[in-house]
C-alpha cells in the first residue's frame, strides 16, 4: 500500500516536471485522494495562456497515473474546469 505522504512526493515531482512554481501550491492527500490547490505560476518563461489548459489536463492525468492515487482534484486560483476543459475564470 502506498502511503499518502509518498503520493504527495510524486505529485510534487509531476508539478516540478511541468515547471509549476510550487511555492504557492498546497498538496494534500487523504485516503489516496489528492488535492492540489493554490496560485498557478510557472518557473522560467511562462507558457502562453492558450497552452495552460492543456498543461493542466496533462498535470491532472499524470497525477491520476501515480501508483495508489484514487482521485485527483485541482483547484487553481483564476481557473475553472468546465465539462472537462480548463478555462480562465
Amino acid at each position: 500500500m502506498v502511503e499518502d505522504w509518498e503520493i504527495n512526493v510524486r505529485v510534487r515531482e509531476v508539478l516540478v516536471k511541468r515547471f509549476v512554481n510550487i511555492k504557492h501550491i498546497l498538496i494534500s492527500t487523504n485516503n489516496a485522494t489528492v488535492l492540489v490547490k493554490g496560485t498557478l505560476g510557472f518557473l522560467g518563461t511562462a507558457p502562453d495562456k492558450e497552452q495552460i489548459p492543456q498543461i493542466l489536463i496533462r498535470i491532472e492525468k499524470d497525477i491520476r497515473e501515480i501508483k495508489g492515487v484514487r482521485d485527483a482534484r485541482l483547484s487553481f486560483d483564476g481557473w475553472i474546469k468546465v465539462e472537462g476543459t480548463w478555462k480562465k475564470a
Side-chain angles (χ1 to χ4, degrees), residues 11-27 36-47 52 55-56 59 75-77:
V11 171
R12 275 190 181 80
E13 290 174 355
V14 166
L15 295 173
V16 169
K17 178 180 165 184
R18 302 278 173 204
F19 300 100
V20 173
N21 183 353
I22 60 172
K23 186 174 181 178
H24 302 288
I25 302 288
L26 172 69
I27 302 165
V36 180
K37 67 179 183 177
T39 303
L40 182 63
F42 294 90
L43 300 172
T45 305
I52 294 175
I55 293 169
L56 291 174
I59 287 171
S75 176
F76 293 111
D77 300 338

Side-chain angles (χ1 to χ4, degrees), residues 46-63:
D48 294 331
K49 288 190 168 116
E50 299 83 35
Q51 293 175 318
I52 294 175
Q54 285 302 109
I55 293 169
L56 291 174
I57 288 170
R58 186 65 204 174
I59 287 171
E60 190 173 19
K61 182 178 183 292
D62 289 348
I63 290 171

